[in-house]
């Protein structure tokens, strides 16, 4: 099997920095300081973050998504890395249709994590006609708490990014503008779901903007 350095590096980024196989603060500080002199180092970091985004796009709230948000939060503390990430070609690709923004832009998969994802609904509310009402309430409360925590994480990520530099702030605002403008069809009485972003994604975007 061919060695994939980007996937291996992304896997290390998902581990706690204190883990023996994790990526520690000193390493990231050193890496960030070398961006100007070595473009290949910057490209390797951006490729790994893009890989994390691609992996998270296949996951739901009923998965290990927290390690992905933790990894991103950790990385954007380093200004050169935050700038490089927002300059990724997949950060704000205006050619992507509305329904694919949550899977194919860099931040999209982080914002698509929601209790409204089909996998989560089936996990918590299977057999809806026979499920015990007390269990329904317990599941609802659990999911609401998880969602509030996740939305706070999304806000912290966004808030950190927009404070990095005016250029990064513009890129983040461009991404939000792309989402809002691409989903103008959501105002219609009858929406073709295949032409707009999902409800869970838009709720997270709205919560973050508010």
């Amino acid at each position: 099997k061919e060695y994939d350095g980007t996937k291996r590096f992304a896997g290390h980024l998902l581990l706690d920095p204190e883990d023996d196989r994790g990526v520690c603060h000193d390493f990231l500080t050193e890496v960030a300081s070398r961006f100007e002199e070595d473009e290949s180092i910057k490209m390797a970091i951006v490729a790994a973050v893009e890989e994390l985004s691609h992996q998270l796009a296949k996951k739901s709230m009923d998965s290990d998504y927290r390690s992905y948000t933790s990894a991103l939060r950790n990385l954007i503390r380093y200004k050169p890395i935050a700038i490089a990430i927002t300059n990724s070609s997949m950060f704000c690709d205006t050619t992507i249709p509305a329904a694919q923004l949550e899977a194919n832009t860099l931040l999209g998969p982080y914002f698509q994590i929601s209790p409204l994802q089909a996998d989560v609904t089936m996990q918590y509310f299977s057999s809806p006609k026979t499920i015990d009402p007390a269990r329904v309430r317990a599941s609802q409360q659990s999911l609401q708490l998880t969602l509030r925590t996740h939305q706070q994480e999304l806000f912290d990520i966004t808030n950190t990014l927009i404070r990095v530099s005016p250029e990064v702030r513009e890129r983040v605002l461009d991404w939000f503008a792309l989402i809002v403008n691409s989903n103008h069809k959501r105002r219609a009485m009858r929406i073709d779901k295949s032409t707009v972003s999902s409800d869970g994604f838009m709720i997270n975007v709205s919560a973050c903007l508010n």
Side-chain angles (χ1 to χ4, degrees):
K1 192 176 178 182
E2 192 176 337
Y3 178 80
D4 189 329
T6 299
K7 275 189 177 172
R8 289 294 293 274
F9 185 35
H12 289 297
L13 289 173
L14 286 174
L15 299 171
D16 190 283
E18 302 300 318
D19 189 293
D20 286 345
R21 295 182 301 121
V23 181
C24 70
H25 167 70
D26 290 345
F27 177 81
L28 288 174
T29 302
E30 178 71 15
V31 161
S33 71
R34 294 194 181 188
F35 274 14
E36 291 300 319
E37 63 188 67
D38 192 339
E39 186 74 14
S40 65
I41 295 177
K42 184 195 298 184
M43 288 168 63
I45 288 278
V46 172
V49 176
E50 290 173 348
E51 173 61 28
L52 292 177
S53 183
H54 289 311
Q55 290 179 16
L56 186 58
K58 300 180 180 73
K59 296 183 180 291
S60 70
M61 187 167 262
D62 195 31
S63 72
D64 59 340
Y65 71 91
R66 288 182 185 86
S67 58
Y68 289 83
T69 52
S70 295
L72 184 61
R73 284 190 67 174
N74 186 37
L75 286 166
I76 60 176
R77 287 165 44 208
Y78 305 88
K79 184 175 178 178
I81 296 177
I83 293 170
I85 287 170
T86 55
N87 281 319
S88 158
S89 59
M90 70 176 285
F91 188 83
C92 187
D93 185 346
T94 56
T95 65
I96 297 173
Q100 294 171 27
L101 289 171
E102 58 205 83
N104 296 332
T105 57
L106 196 125
L107 290 180
Y110 295 88
F111 279 78
Q112 83 164 349
I113 295 294
S114 163
L116 298 180
Q117 289 173 290
D119 290 359
V120 184
T121 309
M122 291 300 294
Q123 169 77 11
Y124 283 84
F125 304 106
S126 56
S127 310
K129 291 182 180 177
T130 56
I131 194 170
D132 176 53
R135 193 177 150 209
V136 170
R137 282 194 298 276
S139 294
Q140 286 174 334
Q141 288 169 352
S142 172
L143 287 171
Q144 285 168 353
L145 179 61
T146 304
L147 178 61
R148 278 198 298 273
T149 303
H150 182 57
Q151 286 176 342
Q152 184 60 50
E153 291 268 319
L154 294 176
F155 174 75
D156 289 343
I157 288 168
T158 309
N159 198 35
T160 301
L161 282 173
I162 63 173
R163 293 170 189 277
V164 169
S165 73
E167 292 75 25
V168 170
R169 183 168 66 241
E170 286 299 316
R171 294 285 289 165
V172 173
L173 291 175
D174 284 345
W175 182 71
F176 280 119
L178 173 63
I179 294 163
V180 173
N181 293 332
S182 299
N183 281 285
H184 62 92
K185 289 182 180 176
R186 291 182 67 89
R187 291 178 297 185
M189 291 287 285
R190 291 191 180 88
I191 306 167
D192 178 355
K193 295 283 188 181
S194 67
T195 63
V196 294
S197 299
S198 70
D199 292 344
F201 177 70
M202 292 305 295
I203 286 170
N204 285 337
V205 167
S206 300
C208 198
L209 287 172
N210 285 339

